[in-house]
Amino acid sequence: MKKLIIDPITRLEGHGKISIFLNESGEVENAYLQIPELRGFERFCVGRKAEDMPLLTSRICGVCPVAHHMAGTKTLDAAFNVEPPLAAKKLRELMYCGYFIYDHTLHFYYLGGPDFIVGPDAPPEKRNVLGVIEKAGLDVGKEVIKHRAFGQRITEIIGGKATHPVCGLPGGISKALSEEERQEIEKMAASSVEFAKFSLKLFHDIVLSNSRYVNLIKSDAYTLKTYYMGLVDKNNKVNFYDGKVRVVDPDGKEFLKFEPKDYLNHIAEHVEEWTYVKFPYLKKVGWKGFVDGSASGAYRVGPLGRLNASDGMATRLAQEEYETMYKTLGGKPVHSTLAFHWARLIELLYAAERALELVKDPEITSKDIRNKPGEPGEGIGIVEAARGTLIHHYVLDEDALIKDVNLIVATVNNAPSINMSVRNAAKGLIHGDKVDQGVLNMVEMAFRAYDPCFGCATHYAIGQMPLTIEIYNSEKKLLRTVQR
Amino acid sequence: MKVSVVSLTCCAGCVSSLLNAGDALLEILFGDFEIVYSPTFMDLKEVPEVDLAIVEGGVRTEADEKLIREVRAKSKTLVALGICATHGGVTSLGNIASLKKLLEKEYFILDTSKLPELEDLMYPICNFVDVDYYIPGCPPMPFLIVHTLKSIVSGKSPVRHQSVVCTECHRKIIAAKLDRLYGTYEKEADPVLCLVSQGFICLGSMTREGCGAPCPRAGFTCFGCRGPPDSLMYRSRDMYSFLITVISRRTGIPEEKIKEELYRNPFIFHTFIFSKFERSKARERVI
């Protein structure tokens, strides 16, 4: 058997490598995405003060710290049995929209987008944000950097710091919003709506008007029929900050809808011996290995997962684009992995529209932002991170110190599907061991669509090495090494 | 100037912070900087020879160790960006347990023989290679990174920040008369008074300045992410005694009682620096 390894896979948060196994005739037998790292957050948080958890867990990921900070804060609300005032909830959600604006912008223009805008098999030295700027123009580049910074600035105003914010307290938030700050955010939110519309137009012009890309999106190599999961509000519309968890089956019918506190009744985790990442599945369906379809408990989260699991978007423009996407790609649910990119831009638009709505709310500058916490106990908090459903679960002792921690992060929810997508793409695209870098990059595109964060996945991140493709014979003896 | 941006074991937050520099970032990118290697954002996979290497993250895996040695050998100047690279960071908290215990908690059935090797502990990079400049912080603020990089590009020594966060904090220190310490969740913070004077355990008095005190400004206690200031970088200085004295003076609570409280949460001060750190090498190089 021959074995190809892509290591490190690039343009993602965290470190992983792809091993591709070929059979005697040079066809792909199997492919694995391996996450070879570990940090141990669930262990070293034990014994710490519960109030530190939103600060500690935000350090799991520097790209989505706001998600962990918010999940931690909501978990403390539950653990101290306190409901925050409405104004505090709105402030938290506004900050959260700022986070989605910067995170989705980051992914589309810096990480995943270059594959489409510059081209999947373009020279590797061009396939990055600078290549995007070259292709789309310097003015576009400036807008990208500006609006990503706007998202960060919104987070910073409310959260005190842009990366690893400091504002979440059980029962509320540490600081009210001043009128001056409110006006600054309003300007940035309004500008972000325009930027999101522009980004969608760019996607339509460059990707959707190119039949090669549309065929790629619809091709079998990038299709996976799974369950989908996401938080929804009371009208079953997508919500990032709060709500019930809804799951739809591969035909798009509602399969489950549950309160965050009941997650353990519905989700279990499977461990494989070759990776530090765990594989969650729906308990009711069961773990059937790395297969898709309604008999397999694998589910997908993240932009496409949320859109598939909901009945629509709660803001006008995003809802219009939501309808366009399903019309163009043949109805709900959409199973194409590359459609994650489109869904992500629809969410960018929603986040900007929602931020504008919230910042115009007269209650947003209210000083009533904290309620008194009750006695410490056990708590579960769920938010939608940019990459999907994020679950924090803490048990506190009577001194409010942490006794136990369980975290199921977005990328982990997607881990079974990411593996399948990588395998399917490899099978569809690689024939024989004479593969060029463009083909290998197209295998990487299968995971990049998920915007995976392996920092989060192993509660740990990154360590990079040059890409090597190692080719083994059937006795697993190394024949030769190729540098990409 | 050719630049590489390298990530070891970390959360990518420091590079993220660099991206937050906005216009200053554009100035760098379209000015003197030519970023030739950055796996987070670019597809080039071979470590090149560079004038300046910016390294985030510490060493947890053998791959990290191999990479940092290669990066050092191929760079003229090396900057450790962020507290994971300089002091081990939050991952160094994993050093409280053996590797086996860490794995047991999360991966009880794992066969580790099929996985890449981990180091026994989390190390800052100075344990393996010489570091020219240390920029601690979790993450360092964008302006601090940009100022430092600009100085390096123009051949000047970067401005060092030697004192403590209190010097940058707007809050007023008073000698209060309190009967106990408080958790941040227990009561609302006064917006003007020093947080320690209100009974909260704020680490500003023993944490290096240079961040602008964003946390106390947002109503939160300092979490110590810039590590110790120059005065506390000597082995002879007992950080606990120092903190106990400061808290006692500002709250009026007897030292014995504060000691009891701090010892109940033994890692309170070590969230970011629970690793073997070679102080003597770093002394004049921390920004």
Side-chain angles (χ1 to χ4, degrees), chain B:
Chain B
M1 179 176 262
K2 284 197 190 311
V3 180
S4 63
V5 182
V6 181
S7 301
L8 309 175
T9 290
C10 68
C11 76
C14 293
V15 166
S16 187
S17 189
L18 173 62
L19 289 183
N20 290 351
D23 287 348
L25 174 70
L26 275 176
E27 217 177 285
I28 289 183
L29 283 180
F30 293 102
D32 301 323
F33 258 52
E34 190 198 344
I35 297 185
V36 291
Y37 177 79
S38 164
T40 313
F41 296 107
M42 298 161 79
D43 276 350
L44 205 65
K45 315 229 168 186
E46 200 173 337
V47 179
E49 298 267 350
V50 291
D51 301 299
L52 172 66
I54 301 169
V55 181
E56 65 166 352
V59 177
R60 173 89 249 191
T61 66
E62 288 185 353
D64 288 337
E65 184 184 335
K66 187 167 159 269
L67 178 59
I68 189 60
R69 290 188 195 280
E70 183 180 359
V71 167
R72 176 70 269 190
K74 290 182 174 175
S75 57
K76 292 197 185 102
T77 304
L78 189 144
V79 173
L81 179 64
I83 194 91
C84 290
T86 61
H87 293 74
V90 75
T91 306
S92 69
L93 273 181
N95 294 350
I96 61 175
S98 68
L99 199 51
K100 191 162 162 283
K101 284 257 159 60
L102 285 184
L103 288 168
E104 267 172 11
K105 166 71 185 148
E106 299 188 35
Y107 304 94
F108 46 96
I109 67 159
L110 207 65
D111 173 4
T112 46
S113 65
K114 296 194 181 172
L115 283 159
E117 289 295 317
L118 295 160
E119 301 269 355
D120 56 338
L121 294 169
M122 171 77 175
Y123 295 100
I125 59 177
C126 64
N127 285 45
F128 299 94
V129 297
D130 264 341
V131 174
D132 296 297
Y133 298 105
Y134 298 69
I135 315 179
C138 186
M141 302 299 266
F143 60 84
L144 182 67
I145 305 176
V146 168
H147 284 175
T148 307
L149 294 182
K150 276 186 175 168
S151 299
I152 294 172
V153 169
S154 57
K156 286 183 277 191
S157 296
V159 176
R160 295 192 57 233
H161 302 81
Q162 306 176 32
S163 189
V164 295
V165 173
C166 295
T167 61
E168 299 180 324
C169 182
H170 69 290
R171 291 173 177 274
K172 198 175 158 228
I173 298 167
I174 57 160
K177 289 269 170 281
L178 303 175
D179 50 2
R180 71 170 179 102
L181 296 173
Y182 294 89
T184 48
Y185 67 95
E186 288 183 291
K187 65 172 188 181
E188 222 161 300
D190 178 280
V192 184
L193 280 187
C194 165
L195 291 167
V196 176
S197 300
Q198 301 179 56
F200 300 114
I201 304 172
C202 177
L203 300 180
S205 63
M206 53 191 335
T207 302
R208 185 177 296 271
E209 62 172 349
C211 56
C215 302
R217 279 179 210 285
F220 242 86
T221 50
C222 170
F223 211 40
C225 80
R226 290 260 299 146
D230 276 13
S231 59
L232 288 172
M233 275 179 65
Y234 297 90
R235 214 172 270 280
S236 59
R237 305 287 164 86
D238 175 353
M239 295 191 278
Y240 268 110
S241 307
F242 179 82
L243 186 63
I244 288 165
T245 311
V246 168
I247 296 178
S248 180
R249 274 191 204 149
R250 296 186 195 178
T251 58
I253 303 170
E255 291 195 2
E256 272 311 304
K257 208 172 160 188
I258 293 165
K259 196 169 161 185
E260 222 172 84
E261 171 76 14
L262 292 191
Y263 278 40
R264 204 167 59 89
N265 293 299
F267 300 106
I268 210 161
F269 183 58
H270 291 99
T271 302
F272 300 98
I273 55 172
F274 199 67
S275 68
K276 214 171 108 193
F277 176 66
E278 298 196 13
R279 294 175 181 82
S280 54
K281 284 207 269 181
R283 221 158 269 168
E284 297 300 321
R285 299 178 183 177
V286 184
I287 302 304

Side-chain angles (χ1 to χ4, degrees), chain A residues 121-136:
Chain A
D121 42 16
E125 65 273 16
K126 294 280 177 204
R127 225 166 34 215
N128 53 52
V129 66
L130 296 174
V132 170
I133 292 174
E134 222 169 83
K135 180 101 183 252

